[in-house]
């Protein structure tokens, strides 16, 4: 047992405290509050530095002020600069991603299939990471293998993909029965198949649609793509009905996201859903209108039957399903307590954060192009 003496820097009075541990001498600074000051005496507050490892120059200047205070206008300017930088970075990354997507959409069957394979495997890996963060143990290796087989088989034949998926699911069930690491629970089994269906089977419809060889007519879109394609790269654009529909659908979805983001950021007042508090009704309506406008233009250029009716219906449906896909992925992140599924794209998050709007749209687009449009064509003609 040892005693240590503490001296007040204001009055000099000593205070003796007894402890079982010998403490190092305490160095008191002039800004340290008095140990014997009355309770009603105002004490100068000490400003603690932020815990973040990296601070901007403006934040350092604010934190190092002698009086420990910060100007409200300076803080507002700092937040405005940071917000402007994030928006600019988000736009720049989005433009780069758009150029890459356009390139592999019109680069042929296998380039598109490999791009979708990389996208789906990355998204499935992010999903299994969120599942593991909740304490579950899915069969992620088997899920990745079955996803790869499903997507690659879609490039050969849609019928073959419909065979690979259930057979692969059966193999996963057998694997979970004899797994040595841990006896599979209901949560392990269900999360394994949910990821396989969400990030593996549904995206395969984009590959099936890309290989759709309907009657292609010469139109403005094909001519423009053939003209602006960089022939110096050594690739020739592969333009089919399926690739054009994929292009216009993804463009409509991207415009819906852009319109919803900026309108909701500027004029949004009414919360759309508790799942994602930042989404507003005003932003959602703006996204639907942007998607419908792009789809009307695409239906006219692609010479769809009754383009003035099929275009807006198609666009609004794509916008609604895209928003539902975004909210569906937000359920995963909200459950695990994550803001983003990953950090692959600066300002956008992970692969699921960027591709969630296109997952639930894929089956609808495929069946609309292969069943609904031919049916309407036969009725009209």
């Amino acid at each position: 047992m040892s005693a240590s003496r503490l001296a007040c820097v204001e009055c000099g009075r000593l205070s003796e405290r007894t402890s079982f541990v010998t403490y190092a001498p305490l160095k008191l600074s002039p800004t340290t509050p008095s140990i014997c000051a009355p309770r009603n005496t105002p004490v100068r507050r000490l400003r603690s530095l932020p815990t973040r490892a990296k601070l901007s120059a403006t934040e350092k200047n604010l934190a190092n002020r002698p009086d420990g205070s910060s100007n409200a206008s300076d803080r507002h300017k700092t937040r405005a600069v940071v917000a402007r930088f994030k928006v600019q970075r988000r736009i720049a990354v989005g433009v780069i991603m758009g150029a890459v997507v356009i390139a592999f959409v019109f680069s042929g069957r296998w380039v598109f299939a490999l791009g979708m394979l990389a996208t789906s495997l990355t998204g499935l890996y992010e999903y299994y990471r969120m599942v593991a963060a909740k304490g579950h143990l899915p069969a992620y290796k088997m899920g990745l293998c079955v996803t790869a087989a499903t997507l690659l088989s879609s490039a050969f034949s849609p019928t073959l993909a419909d065979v690979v998926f259930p057979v692969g699911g059966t193999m996963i069930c057998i694997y979970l029965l004899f797994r040595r690491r841990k006896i599979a629970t209901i949560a392990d089994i269900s999360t394994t198949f949910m990821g396989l269906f969400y990030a593996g089977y549904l995206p395969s419809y984009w590959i099936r649609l890309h290989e759709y060889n309907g009657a292609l007519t010469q139109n403005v879109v094909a001519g423009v793509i053939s003209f602006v394609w960089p022939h110096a790269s050594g690739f020739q654009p592969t333009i089919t009905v399926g690739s054009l529909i994929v292009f216009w659908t993804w463009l409509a979805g991207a415009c819906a996201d852009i319109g919803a983001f900026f309108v909701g950021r500027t004029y949004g007042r009414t919360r759309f859903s508790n799942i994602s508090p930042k989404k507003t009704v005003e932003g959602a309506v703006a996204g639907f209108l942007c998607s419908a406008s792009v789809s009307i233009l695409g239906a006219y250029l692609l010479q769809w039957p009754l383009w003035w009716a099929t275009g807006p219906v198609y666009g609004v449906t794509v916008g609604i399903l895209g928003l539902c896909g975004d909210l569906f992925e937000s359920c995963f992140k909200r459950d695990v307590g994550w803001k983003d599924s990953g950090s692959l794209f600066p300002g956008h998050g992970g692969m699921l954060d960027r591709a969630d709007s296109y997952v639930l749209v894929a089956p609808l687009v495929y069946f609309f192009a292969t069943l609904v449009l031919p049916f309407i064509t036969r009725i009209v003609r």
Side-chain angles (χ1 to χ4, degrees):
M1 180 182 300
S2 61
S4 60
R5 288 180 171 274
L6 300 178
C8 180
V9 296
E10 295 184 1
C11 62
R13 192 171 66 185
L14 297 178
S15 174
E16 187 175 89
R17 295 181 181 178
T18 304
S19 174
F20 288 93
V21 181
T22 302
Y23 291 90
L26 176 64
K27 296 182 179 180
L28 299 177
S29 63
T31 58
T32 306
S34 173
I35 60 176
C36 60
R39 292 185 180 182
N40 58 354
T41 303
V43 180
R44 181 185 301 172
R45 292 186 177 181
L46 297 178
R47 176 178 172 84
S48 59
L49 291 175
T51 57
R52 292 176 296 175
K54 297 182 180 179
L55 294 176
S56 64
T58 306
E59 289 174 332
K60 289 181 180 178
N61 294 333
L62 293 175
N64 294 329
R65 288 189 174 185
D67 58 350
S69 62
S70 60
N71 195 327
S73 62
D74 291 340
R75 292 199 304 268
H76 179 72
K77 292 179 180 179
T78 302
R79 287 194 295 266
V81 171
V82 173
R84 192 181 306 112
F85 169 75
K86 290 182 178 180
V87 172
Q88 293 175 353
R89 182 181 62 177
R90 185 183 181 95
I91 294 174
V93 175
V95 170
I96 296 174
M97 287 192 298
V100 173
V101 167
I102 293 174
F104 89 83
V105 165
F106 296 106
S107 293
R109 170 188 299 182
W110 292 110
V111 174
F112 182 78
L114 292 177
M116 287 299 305
L117 176 63
T119 301
S120 297
L121 292 181
T122 305
L124 183 59
Y125 175 75
E126 292 177 351
Y127 169 78
Y128 283 149
R129 283 181 64 245
M130 290 189 287
V131 170
K134 291 292 293 182
H136 307 306
L137 187 61
Y140 66 94
K141 292 182 180 179
M142 290 292 294
L144 293 172
C145 292
V146 175
T147 296
T150 303
L151 293 172
L152 292 178
S153 61
S154 299
F156 287 102
S157 172
T159 305
L160 182 60
D162 290 333
V163 174
V164 171
F165 182 76
V167 172
T170 304
M171 299 301 295
I172 290 177
C173 292
I174 298 175
Y175 167 78
L176 291 173
L177 287 176
F178 299 97
R179 185 173 63 180
R180 297 181 180 179
R181 185 175 179 180
K182 175 187 175 183
I183 298 177
T185 62
I186 296 178
D188 297 338
I189 299 172
S190 59
T191 52
T192 299
F193 281 94
M194 181 62 208
L196 183 62
F197 175 78
Y198 177 74
Y201 183 71
L202 292 181
S204 69
Y205 279 96
W206 290 116
I207 301 179
R208 306 182 192 195
L209 177 61
H210 189 269
E211 300 308 313
Y212 176 60
N213 295 320
L216 177 63
T217 58
Q218 295 297 328
N219 50 60
V220 179
V221 180
V224 170
I225 293 173
S226 300
F227 178 77
V228 302
W229 189 264
H231 296 282
S233 62
F235 291 96
Q236 295 295 329
T238 303
I239 302 174
T240 61
V241 172
S243 62
L244 290 175
I245 296 177
V246 169
F247 168 74
W248 277 106
T249 305
W250 287 5
L251 181 62
C255 291
D257 290 340
I258 294 173
F261 175 76
F262 285 103
V263 173
R265 182 186 180 90
T266 306
Y267 304 103
R269 296 293 182 272
T270 308
R271 179 180 296 182
F272 183 81
S273 173
N274 292 329
I275 299 176
S276 184
K278 291 185 178 181
K279 286 183 172 53
T280 61
V281 175
E282 294 82 0
V285 173
F288 299 158
L289 294 178
C290 292
S291 178
S293 301
V294 174
S295 298
I296 292 173
L297 179 60
Y300 173 75
L301 294 177
L302 296 177
Q303 302 177 8
W304 284 2
L306 302 178
W307 61 268
W308 47 268
T310 56
V313 171
Y314 182 81
V316 172
T317 306
V318 168
I320 293 175
L321 288 180
L323 179 60
C324 292
D326 195 344
L327 293 175
F328 191 71
E329 194 254 347
S330 296
C331 290
F332 300 151
K333 296 184 295 184
R334 190 177 183 86
D335 185 34
V336 77
W338 291 5
K339 182 179 181 297
D340 297 319
S341 63
S343 57
L344 183 61
F345 304 110
H348 292 262
M351 184 63 74
L352 285 181
D353 296 316
R354 186 62 273 167
D356 54 3
S357 300
Y358 306 95
V359 176
L360 302 183
V361 181
L364 169 76
V365 173
Y366 175 76
F367 291 116
F368 183 87
T370 58
L371 298 178
V372 177
L373 284 182
F375 177 75
I376 296 177
T377 303
R378 288 194 299 266
I379 294 178
V380 173
R381 296 180 180 177

